[in-house]
Amino acid sequence: MSNSRLKIFLSYADGAGKTSAMLSDAFQQKARGVDVLVAWVKLPENSETRQLLEELEVLPPSSHGVNLDEVLRRRPQLVLVDELEGLNPAGSRHLYRWQDVEELLNAGISVYTTLNILHVESLKDTVEEITGLPVEQTVPDRLLDRADELEVVDLPPEELLERLHPHSSTSLADTLRQKGNLLALRQLTMRRAAMRVEDQARALLGTARDPLGTERVCVCISNRPEAERLVREGRMLADALNAEWFVLYVETPTAAGERAEERANLLKAMRIAEENGANTLLIPAETIAEGITAFCRQQGITRLILGKPRDPLWRLRFGFSPVEQILRSGFPVDVILIDTPHKPLVRTGTPPRWWAYLRNGGIVFVAVSLVTLLGWSLRQRPGAMGMEGIYLLLVIALSFWLGRSAGVLAAGLSTLAFAWFFFGASMGLDGADLPLLLTFLGWATAGWVTASLARAVRRQTRAMRWRQVQSAVLNTLSRELAGALDMHAVLSIIVRHIVGVFNRAVMVLLLEEGQLKVAHSEGNVSFSERDWQIARWVLEHRRPAGLDTDTFADSPMRFIPLMAHDLPVGVLVVVPDPASHTLLPEQREILDGIAGLASLAIERVRLNQQAQQAAVLQMTEKLQTALLNSISHDLRTPLSAVEGSLSSLLEAETNGLQMDRETRLDLLENATEEAERLNRLVGNLLDMTRIEAGALRIRRRPCDVQDLIGTALTQFERRLQDRKVSTHIASDIPEVEMDFVLIEQVLERLLDNAVKYSPPGSEINVEAEVRDGALYISVADRGEGIPLEDLERIFGKFYRVQRPDGVSGTGLGLSICKGIVEIHGGRIWAENRPDGGAKFTFTIPIKASGESK
């Protein structure tokens, strides 16, 4: 955990002396031996303050504001950062200076900073009411909550007015010159400091405002710009009650599929709520009131904050307003209505509203005129006077296409045209005719209902389309990732889906041996050293950066951390469409979902690789154990026999004992046989090592098969003395290109195997023939045969068929045969003979090409 400390020097306006107080405190800390570094301070006008600044180490100015990299490299004990609310220059790591301070604190560096009460997030609306001016830059309340010390730098308004620069002519400066505004801001500062002192006192006493934890606050927001104020009001109420609080958005069928501007407003309000410690939720429901009451019952909400309804009077009177429905539900909750000033919804990329009204009015006028002209021309024809139905269809069509206002206008114009041109001569048009009034109301109602339903259907269709795209993308991606077995396949699937959905360039960076490396990319991705810096920052801090974020906001790419079980595994880099230079909220949601699935798939592949490596290591250990056991036994046996024979001969010679010639020959033959056995064992081990290392070279040359078999039988003649050997070599076998020495070793090992597993006096058959373009050589015995389950496994390393007679061996002979034959391009297998015994057959292609390795 970080041991860093945060001290905020708080005042109600510029000129109160925050910077001077901060520098004085820092100077005292330096006198105590603390390593102090000034990272960024607004150049003071006061000479005493300038002198204090000269006594401290000041970081050279940077074009990007606070030089975070240099501060982190230098790692002082205390850093001074002036104006916490400041906006960093373009090209900086973070958009706001308070984000720089947070990174320094998380790195374990203590910070002194200054702040005006005007820029506290939860007080933004109150400050705007006092000053009458918008507050553009705010600091989340969590910074004030995190502060270990909050020092109020106070100055009477009269003295502050004397300090304010007389030539400053900004709107804010003019507003702050009003004493009433300064008094109000001063009172707000004292109140905020008093809340801080109260919190600290209760923390020291071990008490809380709500010891039973019964207070729970819920703020219900919409997708309008006013939602931000509701969030701030909820934050202040939760602070006052020391209660857990929630920010809730209920998505109804009629509200689904918001425009991009509405969705952006909602996401901004949710982000502000999360920055201030709220639990944010988005739940679907048929109606707003139903969703709110269900959530309040489930979570035990005691205070409910809503915006003051702006519904028409008839909706309030007849109980159609969500607020009225909640109040009438009977749920015991305190409802707090906040009167938020109406803010127009800013629509980007759309024409002005007056132009839309003018355009729609023109379309309605032309459409009604054409229908009226058509009806007038057909008025004399029989059955052509059903103009009521025609006008009604026109009103419905225009309402569906252009909206409710156009539908009402179409209803009015249609009523006038219908009365004037078709009934004006007989009835007159004095505005008092009841049938015409009812006709207008009927058409207007039909148009209004049609437009409302059409609007709801369009929004639901838009929402369903995005949800369908999101579900289809994530489901397909999840299904394909489940079948991917290696990292290359996983990354190819991820990149292909992102490119297919967004048509954007993508790069995947993975963490390997503590370093980020490019694992896969698609499209034109130009990666600079600064982009690598951003990627490393994202990996370290586990937060998105780049496009549409407050960190490295000038980067044209979006960097998304890939997290698996709260551990970073890599970074996903997405380059936006050059035409838009942004990502829609829905696109960001899909990207976040893809990043989550990608992280899990990458982690799964890595775990599988680790499991495979562990299995290989375990198998290697088993093979090493088997090898040691085999060698320890099979080496000891021939060595003991050789040692026994030679020691007997040596003892006889030393003691002058007479040993008959037959006994001496038996001892020498026994020693020779065991030495040959030991030589074969060592040769097997060396051959197996060369085969596995790929170091075994074969030298092909034309060889006579009959000569090959004869040489092998001659070399093995002494071991075959008590066996009957029969050979059958086809006469049409041509010379075959092979390595004579290696294939002879294969034959010798097969003959040795036949001798081991067949009784004395039995017959061993050696056959050779040519068929299907290959040489077939087989060695068959009359032993007990091979169990069916061992026919494939006997060619594995150190594998031996378990026999009660305990035949000795290392289990390497057949494995070596398999390696040699496969290097020649052939194959080897075993089978049981129908009349008893085992038969081993291997093939060598007759037309082999060149020298092989």
Side-chain angles (χ1 to χ4, degrees):
M1 180 178 293
S2 174
N3 294 323
S4 59
R5 295 178 61 83
L6 172 64
K7 183 173 182 178
I8 299 178
F9 295 82
L10 181 67
S11 70
Y12 61 93
D14 286 335
K18 301 183 300 297
T19 304
S20 179
M22 178 179 67
L23 293 174
S24 298
D25 198 328
F27 185 78
Q28 295 176 10
Q29 295 294 330
K30 181 182 178 182
R32 297 189 184 102
V34 177
D35 184 10
V36 180
L37 177 66
V38 179
W40 193 91
V41 169
K42 185 178 179 181
L43 191 63
E45 299 178 359
N46 187 295
S47 58
E48 296 180 0
T49 307
R50 284 176 177 269
Q51 185 176 359
L52 285 174
L53 186 60
E54 292 174 358
E55 297 292 333
L56 300 173
E57 180 184 355
V58 180
L59 196 66
S62 170
S63 59
H64 299 314
V66 179
N67 193 341
L68 280 177
D69 293 328
E70 180 62 25
V71 175
L72 294 173
R73 185 196 64 79
R74 167 81 163 67
R75 294 198 66 84
Q77 294 175 281
L78 177 62
V79 172
L80 274 59
V81 179
D82 201 11
E83 296 184 349
L84 182 61
E85 73 280 357
L87 185 68
N88 285 329
S92 302
R93 177 178 303 182
H94 299 295
L95 188 60
Y96 300 105
R97 197 165 297 143
W98 59 263
Q99 294 174 309
D100 297 337
V101 170
E102 275 194 324
E103 183 167 346
L104 293 175
L105 292 171
N106 294 333
I109 301 175
S110 298
V111 177
Y112 279 4
T113 186
T114 63
L115 177 65
N116 279 341
I117 196 67
L118 287 76
H119 302 286
V120 177
E121 175 66 40
S122 62
L123 302 177
K124 176 182 178 181
D125 300 303
T126 305
V127 171
E128 288 180 349
E129 291 177 359
I130 294 173
T131 62
L133 297 174
V135 178
E136 300 295 338
Q137 302 164 17
T138 59
V139 175
D141 287 68
R142 70 168 185 268
L143 265 296
L144 278 79
D145 297 338
R146 182 174 180 175
D148 300 278
E149 293 184 61
L150 186 66
E151 180 174 324
V152 177
V153 181
D154 189 37
L155 192 69
E158 294 80 8
E159 295 184 26
L160 182 60
L161 286 173
E162 294 178 2
R163 286 191 179 187
L164 290 177
H165 201 286
H167 302 293
S168 178
S169 60
T170 63
S171 299
L172 183 58
D174 295 338
T175 302
L176 292 181
R177 286 197 184 96
Q178 302 176 21
K179 186 176 180 180
N181 291 343
L182 291 177
L183 287 173
L185 293 174
R186 187 187 189 194
Q187 182 182 6
L188 198 61
T189 304
M190 297 302 179
R191 188 188 307 165
R192 188 67 176 82
M195 289 178 58
R196 170 72 177 181
V197 172
E198 184 181 357
D199 289 339
Q200 291 177 335
R202 292 183 179 276
L204 291 174
L205 296 174
T207 60
R209 294 190 184 94
D210 183 24
L212 299 179
T214 56
E215 293 290 352
R216 295 166 75 88
V217 179
C218 178
V219 181
C220 299
I221 64 174
S222 67
N223 52 21
R224 304 285 303 180
E226 304 91 72
E228 297 179 26
R229 175 163 186 175
L230 294 179
V231 171
R232 298 186 190 100
E233 294 289 344
R235 160 76 191 206
M236 288 192 292
L237 179 60
D239 278 351
L241 298 174
N242 196 26
E244 183 180 9
W245 66 299
F246 303 84
V247 172
L248 176 67
Y249 176 76
V250 179
E251 187 178 58
T252 62
T254 56
E258 307 102 325
R259 289 184 290 267
E261 302 85 5
E262 297 171 332
R263 194 70 173 177
N265 288 332
L266 175 62
L267 293 178
K268 183 179 179 181
M270 290 286 193
R271 178 178 58 80
I272 293 175
E274 291 173 353
E275 288 178 351
N276 286 278
N279 300 306
T280 58
L281 300 102
L282 188 151
I283 62 173
E286 289 296 324
T287 64
I288 295 177
E290 178 185 333
I292 293 175
T293 53
F295 178 79
C296 290
R297 292 180 190 276
Q298 181 183 9
Q299 296 294 333
I301 300 299
T302 59
R303 308 289 179 100
L304 181 62
I305 297 180
L306 300 169
K308 186 177 179 180
R310 301 184 181 279
D311 298 300
L313 183 60
W314 65 269
R315 286 180 61 88
L316 296 175
R317 289 296 178 88
F318 291 99
F320 291 115
S321 171
V323 175
E324 292 292 329
Q325 294 174 0
I326 293 172
L327 293 175
R328 294 179 181 181
S329 66
F331 180 72
V333 61
D334 295 337
V335 179
I336 303 172
L337 299 181
I338 305 297
D339 187 10
T340 57
H342 179 71
K343 296 182 180 180
L345 182 65
V346 179
R347 292 181 170 88
T348 58
T350 58
R353 178 166 291 188
W354 64 266
W355 169 252
Y357 285 148
L358 184 62
R359 181 200 61 190
N360 293 346
I363 293 174
V364 170
F365 180 80
V366 171
V368 173
S369 300
L370 291 176
V371 169
T372 303
L373 181 62
L374 178 64
W376 180 261
S377 64
L378 299 177
R379 70 187 187 284
Q380 301 298 335
R381 298 188 180 184
M385 287 307 297
M387 291 303 297
E388 299 93 334
I390 295 176
Y391 278 122
L392 177 61
L393 291 176
L394 177 64
V395 170
I396 292 175
L398 291 174
S399 301
F400 181 84
W401 180 28
L402 300 177
R404 290 180 293 192
S405 58
V408 174
L409 178 61
L413 292 178
S414 298
T415 303
L416 292 175
F418 181 68
W420 181 269
F421 290 101
F422 298 98
F423 291 99
S426 59
M427 299 178 59
L429 191 60
D430 54 7
D433 190 80
L434 181 60
L436 288 179
L437 180 60
L438 294 177
T439 300
F440 167 73
L441 292 176
W443 288 351
T445 303
W448 188 274
V449 172
T450 300
S452 300
L453 294 176
R455 182 184 180 187
V457 168
R458 289 192 188 100
R459 295 171 76 97
Q460 292 183 52
T461 302
R462 187 162 55 246
M464 290 177 61
R465 182 166 57 248
W466 269 111
R467 288 173 182 162
Q468 184 179 8
V469 169
Q470 184 174 3
S471 299
V473 169
L474 296 181
N475 289 338
T476 305
L477 178 62
S478 177
R479 185 171 57 253
E480 292 189 17
L481 288 177
L485 301 178
D486 57 81
M487 189 66 71
H488 178 74
V490 167
L491 298 180
S492 298
I493 292 171
I494 295 169
V495 171
R496 175 165 49 83
H497 275 78
I498 295 177
V499 173
V501 174
F502 301 104
N503 192 26
R504 299 171 185 228
V506 183
M507 177 182 289
V508 180
L509 309 176
L510 292 185
L511 186 63
E512 298 179 4
E513 299 178 356
Q515 297 291 329
L516 275 177
K517 298 180 180 179
V518 178
H520 201 95
S521 64
E522 183 75 24
N524 184 17
V525 183
S526 178
F527 226 60
S528 64
E529 180 57 35
R530 186 168 186 269
D531 295 325
W532 280 110
Q533 178 188 357
I534 299 174
R536 288 189 290 268
W537 187 93
V538 168
L539 188 74
E540 179 182 355
H541 293 82
R542 307 176 185 183
R543 291 191 306 173
L547 183 70
D548 295 328
T549 68
D550 292 338
T551 305
F552 297 103
D554 61 326
S555 174
M557 294 179 281
R558 186 173 180 87
F559 296 76
I560 305 171
L562 299 177
M563 305 290 298
H565 306 293
D566 294 330
L567 294 176
V569 297
V571 178
L572 178 64
V573 183
V574 180
V575 181
D577 186 0
S580 61
H581 294 287
T582 187
L583 289 170
L584 297 176
E586 293 83 358
Q587 294 175 325
R588 293 200 291 269
E589 291 175 5
I590 295 178
L591 264 182
D592 291 341
I594 293 176
L597 290 177
S599 303
L600 295 176
I602 291 171
E603 183 67 12
R604 174 179 57 82
V605 171
R606 286 188 169 175
L607 290 176
N608 287 340
Q609 292 175 347
Q610 293 175 3
Q612 292 175 359
Q613 292 173 358
V616 170
L617 182 60
Q618 185 178 9
M619 180 61 67
T620 302
E621 291 177 353
K622 289 183 178 179
L623 292 176
Q624 290 175 348
T625 303
L627 176 62
L628 290 175
N629 293 337
S630 175
I631 290 177
S632 62
H633 176 269
D634 292 329
L635 284 178
R636 189 182 299 113
T637 301
L639 284 174
S640 299
V642 171
E643 182 184 8
S645 300
L646 295 179
S647 61
S648 298
L649 292 172
L650 181 60
E651 183 180 356
E653 290 293 335
T654 303
N655 298 328
L657 300 177
Q658 295 295 325
M659 185 177 293
D660 57 89
R661 182 174 179 276
E662 185 176 352
T663 303
R664 290 171 61 87
L665 288 176
D666 288 341
L667 291 174
L668 291 174
E669 288 178 357
N670 182 56
T672 302
E673 289 178 359
E674 295 300 329
E676 291 177 353
R677 177 183 172 189
L678 181 61
N679 184 56
R680 287 195 302 272
L681 173 61
V682 174
N684 286 341
L685 292 174
L686 293 176
D687 289 343
M688 194 71 250
T689 301
R690 285 196 296 268
I691 291 174
E692 288 193 338
L696 186 63
R697 302 292 188 268
I698 63 174
R699 294 178 176 82
R700 295 182 184 272
R701 60 182 180 85
C703 301
D704 183 75
V705 176
Q706 187 170 2
D707 186 25
L708 172 71
I709 296 175
T711 302
L713 292 175
T714 302
Q715 293 291 335
F716 223 69
E717 183 176 3
R718 189 173 55 179
R719 295 283 310 275
L720 296 172
Q721 287 180 354
D722 55 351
R723 301 294 195 277
K724 299 178 181 178
V725 179
S726 63
T727 60
H728 176 73
I729 303 173
S731 58
D732 57 346
I733 299 178
E735 288 189 341
V736 180
E737 287 191 356
M738 68 178 79
D739 190 311
F740 189 92
V741 176
L742 293 179
I743 298 300
E744 179 191 350
Q745 292 180 14
V746 172
L747 275 173
E748 291 180 1
R749 288 183 171 91
L750 293 180
L751 290 170
D752 179 63
N753 194 74
V755 171
K756 287 181 180 179
Y757 294 98
S758 63
S762 62
E763 184 180 14
I764 295 178
N765 303 103
V766 180
E767 298 180 354
E769 60 177 335
V770 174
R771 65 174 186 269
D772 301 328
L775 170 65
Y776 284 70
I777 300 178
S778 62
V779 177
D781 60 55
R782 290 297 180 182
E784 298 181 5
I786 304 170
L788 294 178
E789 63 272 13
D790 292 330
L791 286 176
E792 295 293 334
R793 290 183 286 184
I794 57 175
F795 293 99
K797 290 181 294 185
F798 304 109
Y799 188 84
R800 295 167 57 191
V801 177
Q802 300 300 320
R803 297 285 189 182
D805 49 4
V807 178
S808 62
T810 61
L812 287 175
L814 294 178
S815 179
I816 294 172
C817 293
K818 182 174 182 291
I820 294 174
V821 170
E822 288 180 349
I823 289 177
H824 280 78
R827 62 189 186 94
I828 185 171
W829 68 93
E831 57 187 328
N832 289 318
R833 305 176 72 179
D835 49 352
K839 181 179 181 181
F840 290 85
T841 306
F842 67 91
T843 64
I844 301 293
I846 291 181
K847 295 181 180 180
S849 58
E851 188 97 358
S852 298
K853 295 184 180 181

